[in-house]
Amino acid sequence: MKTQVIAKAGDKKTGMTLADLHQWVHDALGRDIDPRTPVHVVVGFRGQLQQIQTKDAPDQ
């Protein structure tokens, strides 16, 4: 099973901040997740980023 890194916005109305994204990337790289790993995001009605997570890619 591959490790997933998930981050959620503290406030869904305003969405995630640049600091939230920075921490998420730092966490993912710290777990030796390949930087080419696809990500999945959930956005709000106005385009605010509500959640981001690493996504398992099919083996090639």
Side-chain angles (χ1 to χ4, degrees), residues 1-38:
M1 183 174 158
K2 294 184 179 183
T3 302
Q4 281 196 335
V5 180
I6 301 172
K8 294 182 181 181
D11 181 355
K12 286 187 173 185
K13 186 175 181 181
T14 59
M16 296 178 74
T17 66
L18 186 56
D20 295 333
L21 291 174
H22 180 270
Q23 184 63 49
W24 178 81
V25 170
H26 182 74
D27 291 347
L29 294 177
R31 295 180 188 192
D32 291 328
I33 294 176
D34 187 338
R36 297 169 294 175
T37 300

Side-chain angles (χ1 to χ4, degrees), residues 31-54:
R31 295 180 188 192
D32 291 328
I33 294 176
D34 187 338
R36 297 169 294 175
T37 300
V39 299
H40 175 80
V41 298
V42 176
V43 297
F45 184 72
R46 289 178 272 138
Q48 70 276 31
L49 188 58
Q50 294 181 348
Q51 178 177 313
I52 186 168
Q53 69 184 45
T54 54

